[in-house]
Short mmCIF file of all heavy atoms in Angstrom, two decimals:
data_model
loop_
_atom_site.label_atom_id
_atom_site.label_comp_id
_atom_site.label_asym_id
_atom_site.label_seq_id
_atom_site.Cartn_x
_atom_site.Cartn_y
_atom_site.Cartn_z
N MET G 267 0.85 -1.15 0.00
CA MET G 267 0.00 0.00 0.00
C MET G 267 0.90 1.22 0.00
O MET G 267 1.66 1.44 0.92
CB MET G 267 -0.90 -0.04 1.24
CG MET G 267 -1.63 1.23 1.49
SD MET G 267 -3.02 1.02 2.63
CE MET G 267 -2.27 1.35 4.18
N ASP G 268 0.84 1.99 -1.04
CA ASP G 268 1.61 3.22 -1.13
C ASP G 268 0.70 4.39 -0.85
O ASP G 268 -0.23 4.67 -1.59
CB ASP G 268 2.23 3.36 -2.52
CG ASP G 268 3.30 2.31 -2.75
OD1 ASP G 268 4.00 1.98 -1.80
OD2 ASP G 268 3.41 1.83 -3.89
N LEU G 269 0.98 5.06 0.24
CA LEU G 269 0.18 6.21 0.62
C LEU G 269 0.88 7.49 0.20
O LEU G 269 2.10 7.61 0.29
CB LEU G 269 -0.04 6.24 2.13
CG LEU G 269 -0.84 5.09 2.71
CD1 LEU G 269 -0.83 5.16 4.23
CD2 LEU G 269 -2.26 5.13 2.21
N GLN G 270 0.12 8.43 -0.26
CA GLN G 270 0.63 9.75 -0.57
C GLN G 270 0.51 10.62 0.67
O GLN G 270 -0.31 10.38 1.54
CB GLN G 270 -0.17 10.36 -1.73
CG GLN G 270 -0.18 9.51 -2.98
CD GLN G 270 1.21 9.28 -3.55
OE1 GLN G 270 2.04 10.18 -3.55
NE2 GLN G 270 1.48 8.07 -4.00
N GLU G 271 1.32 11.64 0.77
CA GLU G 271 1.28 12.51 1.95
C GLU G 271 -0.10 13.11 2.15
O GLU G 271 -0.58 13.23 3.27
CB GLU G 271 2.32 13.64 1.82
CG GLU G 271 2.46 14.48 3.08
CD GLU G 271 2.88 13.68 4.31
OE1 GLU G 271 3.67 12.75 4.17
OE2 GLU G 271 2.41 14.02 5.40
N GLY G 272 -0.80 13.45 1.10
CA GLY G 272 -2.15 14.00 1.21
C GLY G 272 -3.14 13.02 1.81
O GLY G 272 -4.11 13.42 2.45
N ASP G 273 -2.89 11.73 1.63
CA ASP G 273 -3.78 10.71 2.18
C ASP G 273 -3.70 10.67 3.71
O ASP G 273 -4.62 10.21 4.37
CB ASP G 273 -3.42 9.33 1.63
CG ASP G 273 -3.65 9.22 0.14
OD1 ASP G 273 -4.48 9.98 -0.39
OD2 ASP G 273 -3.02 8.35 -0.47
N LEU G 274 -2.59 11.13 4.27
CA LEU G 274 -2.37 11.03 5.71
C LEU G 274 -2.82 12.26 6.48
O LEU G 274 -2.85 12.25 7.70
CB LEU G 274 -0.89 10.79 5.98
CG LEU G 274 -0.28 9.53 5.38
CD1 LEU G 274 1.21 9.47 5.66
CD2 LEU G 274 -0.97 8.29 5.91
N GLN G 275 -3.18 13.32 5.79
CA GLN G 275 -3.46 14.58 6.47
C GLN G 275 -4.65 14.51 7.41
O GLN G 275 -4.65 15.16 8.45
CB GLN G 275 -3.68 15.70 5.45
CG GLN G 275 -2.41 16.09 4.75
CD GLN G 275 -2.64 17.16 3.70
OE1 GLN G 275 -3.78 17.49 3.37
NE2 GLN G 275 -1.56 17.70 3.18
N ASN G 276 -5.66 13.77 7.09
CA ASN G 276 -6.87 13.74 7.90
C ASN G 276 -6.94 12.56 8.86
O ASN G 276 -7.98 12.32 9.46
CB ASN G 276 -8.11 13.72 7.00
CG ASN G 276 -8.22 14.99 6.18
OD1 ASN G 276 -7.86 16.08 6.64
ND2 ASN G 276 -8.71 14.86 4.96
N LEU G 277 -5.85 11.87 9.04
CA LEU G 277 -5.85 10.72 9.93
C LEU G 277 -5.52 11.13 11.36
O LEU G 277 -4.78 12.08 11.60
CB LEU G 277 -4.82 9.69 9.46
CG LEU G 277 -5.05 9.08 8.09
CD1 LEU G 277 -3.92 8.11 7.77
CD2 LEU G 277 -6.39 8.39 8.00
N THR G 278 -6.06 10.36 12.29
CA THR G 278 -5.75 10.58 13.70
C THR G 278 -4.35 10.00 13.99
O THR G 278 -3.84 9.16 13.23
CB THR G 278 -6.78 9.89 14.61
OG1 THR G 278 -6.65 8.48 14.44
CG2 THR G 278 -8.19 10.35 14.30
N PRO G 279 -3.74 10.40 15.10
CA PRO G 279 -2.45 9.81 15.46
C PRO G 279 -2.51 8.28 15.60
O PRO G 279 -1.57 7.58 15.22
CB PRO G 279 -2.10 10.48 16.79
CG PRO G 279 -2.80 11.80 16.72
CD PRO G 279 -4.09 11.51 15.97
N ASP G 280 -3.63 7.77 16.12
CA ASP G 280 -3.79 6.33 16.25
C ASP G 280 -3.82 5.65 14.88
O ASP G 280 -3.20 4.60 14.67
CB ASP G 280 -5.07 6.00 17.02
CG ASP G 280 -5.20 4.52 17.32
OD1 ASP G 280 -4.21 3.92 17.80
OD2 ASP G 280 -6.29 3.97 17.08
N GLU G 281 -4.51 6.25 13.94
CA GLU G 281 -4.57 5.70 12.58
C GLU G 281 -3.20 5.75 11.92
O GLU G 281 -2.80 4.79 11.24
CB GLU G 281 -5.59 6.46 11.75
CG GLU G 281 -7.02 6.22 12.17
CD GLU G 281 -8.02 7.16 11.52
OE1 GLU G 281 -7.67 8.32 11.22
OE2 GLU G 281 -9.17 6.72 11.32
N ARG G 282 -2.46 6.82 12.14
CA ARG G 282 -1.10 6.92 11.59
C ARG G 282 -0.20 5.83 12.18
O ARG G 282 0.60 5.23 11.47
CB ARG G 282 -0.52 8.29 11.88
CG ARG G 282 -1.17 9.39 11.09
CD ARG G 282 -0.61 10.74 11.52
NE ARG G 282 -1.40 11.80 10.98
CZ ARG G 282 -0.97 12.69 10.11
NH1 ARG G 282 0.27 12.63 9.67
NH2 ARG G 282 -1.76 13.65 9.68
N ALA G 283 -0.33 5.59 13.47
CA ALA G 283 0.47 4.56 14.13
C ALA G 283 0.14 3.18 13.57
O ALA G 283 1.03 2.35 13.36
CB ALA G 283 0.26 4.59 15.63
N ARG G 284 -1.13 2.93 13.33
CA ARG G 284 -1.54 1.63 12.78
C ARG G 284 -1.02 1.44 11.36
O ARG G 284 -0.58 0.34 10.99
CB ARG G 284 -3.05 1.50 12.81
CG ARG G 284 -3.59 1.32 14.20
CD ARG G 284 -5.08 1.22 14.21
NE ARG G 284 -5.56 1.20 15.58
CZ ARG G 284 -6.73 0.73 15.94
NH1 ARG G 284 -7.55 0.24 15.03
NH2 ARG G 284 -7.10 0.75 17.20
N ILE G 285 -1.04 2.50 10.57
CA ILE G 285 -0.50 2.41 9.21
C ILE G 285 1.00 2.17 9.26
O ILE G 285 1.53 1.34 8.51
CB ILE G 285 -0.85 3.67 8.40
CG1 ILE G 285 -2.34 3.66 8.07
CG2 ILE G 285 -0.02 3.74 7.12
CD1 ILE G 285 -2.84 4.91 7.41
N ALA G 286 1.70 2.85 10.15
CA ALA G 286 3.14 2.64 10.29
C ALA G 286 3.45 1.20 10.71
O ALA G 286 4.38 0.58 10.19
CB ALA G 286 3.72 3.63 11.30
N ALA G 287 2.65 0.66 11.62
CA ALA G 287 2.86 -0.73 12.06
C ALA G 287 2.60 -1.70 10.91
O ALA G 287 3.33 -2.68 10.73
CB ALA G 287 1.95 -1.05 13.24
N ALA G 288 1.57 -1.43 10.11
CA ALA G 288 1.27 -2.30 8.96
C ALA G 288 2.39 -2.23 7.93
O ALA G 288 2.76 -3.25 7.35
CB ALA G 288 -0.06 -1.89 8.34
N GLU G 289 2.93 -1.06 7.71
CA GLU G 289 4.04 -0.92 6.77
C GLU G 289 5.28 -1.66 7.26
O GLU G 289 5.96 -2.32 6.49
CB GLU G 289 4.37 0.56 6.54
CG GLU G 289 3.35 1.28 5.69
CD GLU G 289 3.32 0.77 4.26
OE1 GLU G 289 4.40 0.49 3.68
OE2 GLU G 289 2.22 0.64 3.72
N ARG G 290 5.55 -1.56 8.57
CA ARG G 290 6.70 -2.28 9.13
C ARG G 290 6.51 -3.79 8.97
O ARG G 290 7.44 -4.51 8.60
CB ARG G 290 6.89 -1.93 10.61
CG ARG G 290 8.11 -2.61 11.19
CD ARG G 290 8.30 -2.29 12.66
NE ARG G 290 9.42 -3.01 13.19
CZ ARG G 290 9.44 -4.31 13.50
NH1 ARG G 290 8.39 -5.05 13.30
NH2 ARG G 290 10.53 -4.88 13.98
N LEU G 291 5.32 -4.28 9.25
CA LEU G 291 5.04 -5.70 9.09
C LEU G 291 5.24 -6.12 7.64
O LEU G 291 5.82 -7.16 7.37
CB LEU G 291 3.63 -6.03 9.54
CG LEU G 291 3.19 -7.48 9.36
CD1 LEU G 291 4.05 -8.41 10.21
CD2 LEU G 291 1.74 -7.66 9.69
N ARG G 292 4.78 -5.31 6.72
CA ARG G 292 4.93 -5.63 5.30
C ARG G 292 6.41 -5.68 4.91
O ARG G 292 6.84 -6.52 4.13
CB ARG G 292 4.21 -4.59 4.45
CG ARG G 292 4.21 -4.92 2.96
CD ARG G 292 3.54 -3.85 2.14
NE ARG G 292 4.17 -2.56 2.25
CZ ARG G 292 5.27 -2.18 1.57
NH1 ARG G 292 5.85 -3.01 0.76
NH2 ARG G 292 5.76 -0.98 1.71
N GLU G 293 7.21 -4.79 5.50
CA GLU G 293 8.63 -4.72 5.15
C GLU G 293 9.45 -5.86 5.78
O GLU G 293 10.33 -6.39 5.13
CB GLU G 293 9.21 -3.39 5.60
CG GLU G 293 8.71 -2.22 4.79
CD GLU G 293 9.18 -0.88 5.34
OE1 GLU G 293 9.94 -0.87 6.34
OE2 GLU G 293 8.74 0.14 4.81
N VAL G 294 9.17 -6.20 7.03
CA VAL G 294 10.03 -7.16 7.73
C VAL G 294 9.34 -8.43 8.18
O VAL G 294 10.01 -9.36 8.61
CB VAL G 294 10.72 -6.51 8.95
CG1 VAL G 294 11.57 -5.34 8.54
CG2 VAL G 294 9.70 -6.09 9.99
N GLY G 295 8.02 -8.50 8.10
CA GLY G 295 7.31 -9.64 8.66
C GLY G 295 6.76 -10.64 7.67
O GLY G 295 6.05 -11.55 8.06
N THR G 296 7.09 -10.49 6.40
CA THR G 296 6.52 -11.40 5.42
C THR G 296 7.57 -12.26 4.72
O THR G 296 7.28 -12.91 3.73
CB THR G 296 5.72 -10.61 4.35
OG1 THR G 296 6.60 -9.68 3.71
CG2 THR G 296 4.56 -9.87 4.98
N GLY G 297 8.77 -12.28 5.26
CA GLY G 297 9.84 -13.06 4.65
C GLY G 297 9.52 -14.54 4.58
O GLY G 297 9.80 -15.22 3.59
N TYR G 298 8.93 -15.08 5.65
CA TYR G 298 8.57 -16.49 5.66
C TYR G 298 7.59 -16.81 4.53
O TYR G 298 7.76 -17.79 3.82
CB TYR G 298 7.96 -16.89 7.00
CG TYR G 298 7.38 -18.28 7.01
CD1 TYR G 298 8.20 -19.39 7.07
CD2 TYR G 298 6.02 -18.48 6.92
CE1 TYR G 298 7.68 -20.67 7.05
CE2 TYR G 298 5.49 -19.76 6.90
CZ TYR G 298 6.32 -20.84 6.97
OH TYR G 298 5.80 -22.10 6.94
N ALA G 299 6.58 -15.97 4.35
CA ALA G 299 5.60 -16.20 3.29
C ALA G 299 6.26 -16.13 1.92
O ALA G 299 5.96 -16.93 1.04
CB ALA G 299 4.47 -15.18 3.39
N ASP G 300 7.18 -15.19 1.76
CA ASP G 300 7.90 -15.09 0.49
C ASP G 300 8.72 -16.34 0.22
O ASP G 300 8.70 -16.90 -0.87
CB ASP G 300 8.80 -13.86 0.47
CG ASP G 300 8.04 -12.55 0.47
OD1 ASP G 300 6.84 -12.57 0.13
OD2 ASP G 300 8.64 -11.53 0.81
N LEU G 301 9.47 -16.77 1.23
CA LEU G 301 10.30 -17.96 1.08
C LEU G 301 9.44 -19.20 0.85
O LEU G 301 9.71 -20.00 -0.04
CB LEU G 301 11.18 -18.15 2.31
CG LEU G 301 12.09 -19.38 2.31
CD1 LEU G 301 13.07 -19.30 1.16
CD2 LEU G 301 12.81 -19.49 3.62
N GLN G 302 8.41 -19.36 1.66
CA GLN G 302 7.55 -20.54 1.55
C GLN G 302 6.85 -20.60 0.20
O GLN G 302 6.65 -21.68 -0.35
CB GLN G 302 6.53 -20.55 2.69
CG GLN G 302 5.75 -21.81 2.82
CD GLN G 302 6.59 -23.01 3.25
OE1 GLN G 302 7.77 -22.92 3.54
NE2 GLN G 302 5.97 -24.16 3.29
N SER G 303 6.48 -19.45 -0.35
CA SER G 303 5.76 -19.46 -1.62
C SER G 303 6.69 -19.64 -2.82
O SER G 303 6.25 -20.10 -3.87
CB SER G 303 4.96 -18.17 -1.79
OG SER G 303 5.82 -17.06 -1.92
N THR G 304 7.98 -19.32 -2.66
CA THR G 304 8.88 -19.43 -3.81
C THR G 304 9.86 -20.58 -3.70
O THR G 304 10.25 -21.15 -4.70
CB THR G 304 9.67 -18.13 -4.01
OG1 THR G 304 10.42 -17.85 -2.82
CG2 THR G 304 8.74 -16.98 -4.32
N ARG G 305 10.30 -20.92 -2.47
CA ARG G 305 11.30 -21.96 -2.29
C ARG G 305 10.98 -22.80 -1.05
O ARG G 305 11.75 -22.81 -0.08
CB ARG G 305 12.68 -21.33 -2.12
CG ARG G 305 13.05 -20.41 -3.26
CD ARG G 305 14.37 -20.71 -3.82
NE ARG G 305 14.85 -20.00 -4.96
CZ ARG G 305 14.31 -19.03 -5.66
NH1 ARG G 305 13.15 -18.58 -5.35
NH2 ARG G 305 14.89 -18.49 -6.70
N PRO G 306 9.89 -23.53 -1.06
CA PRO G 306 9.51 -24.29 0.14
C PRO G 306 10.52 -25.36 0.53
O PRO G 306 10.70 -25.63 1.71
CB PRO G 306 8.16 -24.89 -0.23
CG PRO G 306 8.11 -24.87 -1.72
CD PRO G 306 8.94 -23.70 -2.15
N GLN G 307 11.20 -25.95 -0.43
CA GLN G 307 12.16 -27.00 -0.10
C GLN G 307 13.36 -26.45 0.64
O GLN G 307 13.93 -27.13 1.48
CB GLN G 307 12.61 -27.74 -1.37
CG GLN G 307 11.57 -28.71 -1.89
CD GLN G 307 11.16 -29.74 -0.85
OE1 GLN G 307 10.04 -29.71 -0.38
NE2 GLN G 307 12.04 -30.64 -0.51
N THR G 308 13.76 -25.23 0.34
CA THR G 308 14.89 -24.63 1.04
C THR G 308 14.60 -24.56 2.53
O THR G 308 15.43 -24.94 3.37
CB THR G 308 15.17 -23.22 0.50
OG1 THR G 308 15.45 -23.31 -0.89
CG2 THR G 308 16.34 -22.56 1.22
N LEU G 309 13.45 -24.10 2.87
CA LEU G 309 13.06 -24.01 4.27
C LEU G 309 12.93 -25.41 4.87
O LEU G 309 13.40 -25.65 5.99
CB LEU G 309 11.73 -23.27 4.39
CG LEU G 309 11.21 -23.05 5.80
CD1 LEU G 309 12.20 -22.24 6.62
CD2 LEU G 309 9.87 -22.36 5.75
N ALA G 310 12.35 -26.33 4.15
CA ALA G 310 12.16 -27.69 4.66
C ALA G 310 13.50 -28.36 4.96
O ALA G 310 13.66 -28.98 6.02
CB ALA G 310 11.37 -28.53 3.65
N TYR G 311 14.46 -28.23 4.08
CA TYR G 311 15.77 -28.83 4.32
C TYR G 311 16.47 -28.18 5.50
O TYR G 311 17.09 -28.86 6.32
CB TYR G 311 16.67 -28.72 3.08
CG TYR G 311 16.20 -29.57 1.93
CD1 TYR G 311 16.30 -29.10 0.62
CD2 TYR G 311 15.68 -30.83 2.12
CE1 TYR G 311 15.88 -29.87 -0.45
CE2 TYR G 311 15.25 -31.61 1.06
CZ TYR G 311 15.36 -31.11 -0.22
OH TYR G 311 14.95 -31.88 -1.28
N GLY G 312 16.37 -26.87 5.60
CA GLY G 312 17.01 -26.17 6.71
C GLY G 312 16.44 -26.57 8.06
O GLY G 312 17.16 -26.66 9.05
N LEU G 313 15.15 -26.83 8.10
CA LEU G 313 14.51 -27.19 9.36
C LEU G 313 14.67 -28.66 9.71
O LEU G 313 14.80 -29.03 10.87
CB LEU G 313 13.02 -26.83 9.32
CG LEU G 313 12.71 -25.35 9.28
CD1 LEU G 313 11.20 -25.14 9.16
CD2 LEU G 313 13.25 -24.63 10.49
N SER G 314 14.68 -29.53 8.72
CA SER G 314 14.71 -30.96 9.02
C SER G 314 16.12 -31.56 9.04
O SER G 314 16.36 -32.53 9.75
CB SER G 314 13.85 -31.73 8.02
OG SER G 314 14.38 -31.59 6.71
N ASP G 315 17.05 -30.98 8.30
CA ASP G 315 18.38 -31.57 8.20
C ASP G 315 19.43 -30.93 9.10
O ASP G 315 20.53 -31.44 9.19
CB ASP G 315 18.89 -31.50 6.76
CG ASP G 315 18.14 -32.43 5.83
OD1 ASP G 315 17.40 -33.28 6.33
OD2 ASP G 315 18.30 -32.30 4.61
N SER G 316 19.08 -29.83 9.73
CA SER G 316 20.10 -29.11 10.48
C SER G 316 19.60 -28.73 11.87
O SER G 316 18.66 -27.94 11.99
CB SER G 316 20.50 -27.85 9.72
OG SER G 316 21.29 -27.00 10.52
N PRO G 317 20.22 -29.25 12.91
CA PRO G 317 19.84 -28.82 14.26
C PRO G 317 20.05 -27.32 14.45
O PRO G 317 19.27 -26.66 15.12
CB PRO G 317 20.76 -29.62 15.17
CG PRO G 317 21.20 -30.78 14.36
CD PRO G 317 21.22 -30.32 12.94
N THR G 318 21.08 -26.78 13.83
CA THR G 318 21.34 -25.34 13.93
C THR G 318 20.24 -24.56 13.22
O THR G 318 19.79 -23.52 13.71
CB THR G 318 22.71 -24.99 13.33
OG1 THR G 318 23.71 -25.79 13.98
CG2 THR G 318 23.03 -23.53 13.50
N GLY G 319 19.81 -25.04 12.06
CA GLY G 319 18.71 -24.39 11.34
C GLY G 319 17.43 -24.42 12.15
O GLY G 319 16.69 -23.43 12.22
N GLN G 320 17.15 -25.57 12.78
CA GLN G 320 15.96 -25.69 13.62
C GLN G 320 16.03 -24.74 14.81
O GLN G 320 15.06 -24.05 15.14
CB GLN G 320 15.81 -27.12 14.11
CG GLN G 320 14.57 -27.34 14.95
CD GLN G 320 13.30 -27.32 14.14
OE1 GLN G 320 13.21 -27.93 13.09
NE2 GLN G 320 12.31 -26.59 14.61
N LEU G 321 17.20 -24.66 15.45
CA LEU G 321 17.37 -23.76 16.59
C LEU G 321 17.20 -22.30 16.15
O LEU G 321 16.53 -21.53 16.84
CB LEU G 321 18.74 -23.96 17.22
CG LEU G 321 19.07 -23.01 18.38
CD1 LEU G 321 18.08 -23.21 19.53
CD2 LEU G 321 20.49 -23.23 18.84
N ALA G 322 17.77 -21.94 15.04
CA ALA G 322 17.63 -20.56 14.55
C ALA G 322 16.18 -20.23 14.29
O ALA G 322 15.70 -19.13 14.59
CB ALA G 322 18.46 -20.37 13.28
N TRP G 323 15.44 -21.17 13.72
CA TRP G 323 14.01 -20.97 13.46
C TRP G 323 13.25 -20.76 14.77
O TRP G 323 12.44 -19.85 14.88
CB TRP G 323 13.47 -22.19 12.71
CG TRP G 323 12.01 -22.14 12.45
CD1 TRP G 323 11.04 -22.74 13.17
CD2 TRP G 323 11.35 -21.45 11.39
NE1 TRP G 323 9.81 -22.48 12.62
CE2 TRP G 323 9.98 -21.68 11.53
CE3 TRP G 323 11.80 -20.66 10.33
CZ2 TRP G 323 9.04 -21.15 10.65
CZ3 TRP G 323 10.87 -20.14 9.47
CH2 TRP G 323 9.50 -20.38 9.64
N ILE G 324 13.51 -21.60 15.76
CA ILE G 324 12.81 -21.50 17.05
C ILE G 324 13.12 -20.17 17.73
O ILE G 324 12.23 -19.49 18.22
CB ILE G 324 13.17 -22.69 17.95
CG1 ILE G 324 12.58 -23.98 17.38
CG2 ILE G 324 12.70 -22.45 19.38
CD1 ILE G 324 13.10 -25.24 18.03
N VAL G 325 14.39 -19.79 17.75
CA VAL G 325 14.78 -18.53 18.39
C VAL G 325 14.14 -17.35 17.67
O VAL G 325 13.60 -16.44 18.31
CB VAL G 325 16.32 -18.39 18.42
CG1 VAL G 325 16.74 -16.99 18.82
CG2 VAL G 325 16.92 -19.42 19.35
N GLU G 326 14.16 -17.35 16.36
CA GLU G 326 13.57 -16.25 15.60
C GLU G 326 12.08 -16.14 15.85
O GLU G 326 11.55 -15.06 16.05
CB GLU G 326 13.86 -16.43 14.11
CG GLU G 326 13.51 -15.23 13.26
CD GLU G 326 12.07 -15.23 12.77
OE1 GLU G 326 11.49 -16.32 12.64
OE2 GLU G 326 11.53 -14.13 12.53
N LYS G 327 11.38 -17.27 15.87
CA LYS G 327 9.94 -17.25 16.11
C LYS G 327 9.63 -16.85 17.55
O LYS G 327 8.69 -16.10 17.79
CB LYS G 327 9.31 -18.61 15.79
CG LYS G 327 9.27 -18.90 14.32
CD LYS G 327 8.47 -17.82 13.61
CE LYS G 327 8.76 -17.79 12.14
NZ LYS G 327 8.34 -16.54 11.50
N PHE G 328 10.43 -17.32 18.50
CA PHE G 328 10.22 -16.91 19.88
C PHE G 328 10.36 -15.39 20.00
O PHE G 328 9.56 -14.73 20.65
CB PHE G 328 11.22 -17.61 20.80
CG PHE G 328 11.06 -17.26 22.24
CD1 PHE G 328 10.05 -17.83 22.99
CD2 PHE G 328 11.90 -16.34 22.85
CE1 PHE G 328 9.88 -17.51 24.33
CE2 PHE G 328 11.75 -16.00 24.18
CZ PHE G 328 10.73 -16.58 24.92
N TRP G 329 11.40 -14.83 19.38
CA TRP G 329 11.60 -13.39 19.42
C TRP G 329 10.43 -12.64 18.77
O TRP G 329 9.95 -11.65 19.29
CB TRP G 329 12.91 -13.03 18.71
CG TRP G 329 13.19 -11.54 18.74
CD1 TRP G 329 13.81 -10.86 19.72
CD2 TRP G 329 12.82 -10.60 17.74
NE1 TRP G 329 13.85 -9.52 19.39
CE2 TRP G 329 13.26 -9.34 18.18
CE3 TRP G 329 12.18 -10.68 16.51
CZ2 TRP G 329 13.07 -8.18 17.44
CZ3 TRP G 329 11.98 -9.53 15.77
CH2 TRP G 329 12.42 -8.29 16.24
N GLU G 330 9.99 -13.13 17.63
CA GLU G 330 8.91 -12.45 16.89
C GLU G 330 7.57 -12.56 17.61
O GLU G 330 6.78 -11.61 17.60
CB GLU G 330 8.79 -13.04 15.49
CG GLU G 330 7.79 -12.32 14.62
CD GLU G 330 7.75 -12.87 13.21
OE1 GLU G 330 8.81 -13.30 12.69
OE2 GLU G 330 6.67 -12.90 12.63
N TRP G 331 7.27 -13.68 18.22
CA TRP G 331 5.96 -13.91 18.81
C TRP G 331 5.84 -13.42 20.25
O TRP G 331 4.77 -13.47 20.85
CB TRP G 331 5.61 -15.37 18.73
CG TRP G 331 5.41 -15.87 17.33
CD1 TRP G 331 5.14 -15.12 16.23
CD2 TRP G 331 5.46 -17.21 16.89
NE1 TRP G 331 5.03 -15.91 15.12
CE2 TRP G 331 5.23 -17.21 15.49
CE3 TRP G 331 5.70 -18.42 17.51
CZ2 TRP G 331 5.21 -18.37 14.73
CZ3 TRP G 331 5.69 -19.57 16.76
CH2 TRP G 331 5.44 -19.54 15.39
N THR G 332 6.95 -13.00 20.84
CA THR G 332 6.91 -12.42 22.18
C THR G 332 7.25 -10.94 22.06
O THR G 332 7.52 -10.43 20.99
CB THR G 332 7.90 -13.12 23.11
OG1 THR G 332 9.23 -12.95 22.59
CG2 THR G 332 7.58 -14.59 23.26
N ASN G 333 7.26 -10.25 23.16
CA ASN G 333 7.59 -8.85 23.16
C ASN G 333 9.09 -8.70 23.41
O ASN G 333 9.53 -8.81 24.55
CB ASN G 333 6.79 -8.12 24.23
CG ASN G 333 7.00 -6.62 24.18
OD1 ASN G 333 7.78 -6.11 23.38
ND2 ASN G 333 6.28 -5.92 25.03
N PRO G 334 9.90 -8.47 22.37
CA PRO G 334 11.34 -8.45 22.54
C PRO G 334 11.86 -7.27 23.33
O PRO G 334 13.00 -7.26 23.74
CB PRO G 334 11.88 -8.42 21.11
CG PRO G 334 10.79 -7.82 20.31
CD PRO G 334 9.52 -8.25 20.99
N THR G 335 11.02 -6.27 23.58
CA THR G 335 11.49 -5.13 24.37
C THR G 335 11.30 -5.46 25.81
O THR G 335 11.64 -4.86 26.72
CB THR G 335 10.74 -3.85 24.00
OG1 THR G 335 9.35 -4.04 24.20
CG2 THR G 335 10.99 -3.48 22.55
#
């Protein structure tokens, strides 16, 4: 979603914050979907063949699904 500056003028601060959060999610939170939709085997091999890959996946998901601050 590409917003123009004029589109944001009539928004409340809460609406601006929600749009910023949605943009951040779009930028950094959709990598798994991109990888899974284009290269599912890469992810599957990393998770099933490598204890280090599995650990990295668990740590990353724990960080993302909890409040890291």
Side-chain angles (χ1 to χ4, degrees):
M267 169 163 91
D268 292 325
L269 295 173
Q270 303 299 320
E271 187 60 36
D273 295 336
L274 300 176
Q275 289 178 350
N276 296 325
L277 298 179
T278 66
D280 186 47
E281 290 170 329
R282 290 175 192 245
R284 289 179 186 201
I285 289 174
E289 286 294 320
R290 183 181 177 284
L291 177 63
R292 186 182 60 81
E293 290 173 3
V294 300
T296 59
Y298 171 76
D300 292 341
L301 179 62
Q302 189 67 4
S303 66
T304 58
R305 305 231 176 1
Q307 284 304 111
T308 301
L309 183 60
Y311 292 142
L313 292 177
S314 63
D315 290 348
S316 169
T318 305
Q320 182 72 46
L321 177 61
W323 177 262
I324 291 168
V325 169
E326 190 272 334
K327 289 301 161 197
F328 181 78
W329 181 86
E330 185 176 326
W331 294 340
T332 60
N333 186 357
T335 58

